[in-house]
Amino acid sequence: MDFPLCNIMDALEQWITFQETGQPGELYELAIWCIDWVDFAIEVSDDNDMLAAPEIAAKYERIRRALTR
């Protein structure tokens, strides 16, 4: 199953709005979208803890570091 097209279009809209306005809220929303995408793209063995998957934990840590600089 493909990630819904409306979600991809929403992410593009957030990126474009961030580029035009520089509003950090758009970038934060895009970061959250990235976590959702990774969650969708990989199989998670523990449905109660999506951060248990190494791929998601790594992505989360990269985003957290980028947003807290």
Side-chain angles (χ1 to χ4, degrees):
M1 176 157 108
D2 293 330
F3 201 62
L5 182 59
C6 61
N7 290 6
I8 295 169
M9 292 176 64
D10 187 42
L12 287 173
E13 180 181 352
Q14 289 165 341
W15 177 248
I16 291 168
T17 302
F18 172 73
Q19 291 292 309
E20 292 174 349
T21 66
Q23 294 177 350
E26 296 297 325
L27 196 56
Y28 301 148
E29 291 295 323
L30 189 57
I32 291 169
W33 182 88
C34 288
I35 292 171
D36 288 343
W37 172 256
V38 172
D39 183 34
F40 179 83
I42 66 169
E43 293 292 324
V44 177
S45 59
D46 183 358
D47 290 336
N48 294 323
D49 185 8
M50 73 172 232
L51 293 178
E55 297 94 336
I56 294 179
K59 185 70 157 178
Y60 175 81
E61 185 58 28
R62 283 193 298 275
I63 291 169
R64 189 193 63 74
R65 281 195 313 263
L67 293 176
T68 57
R69 286 187 209 176

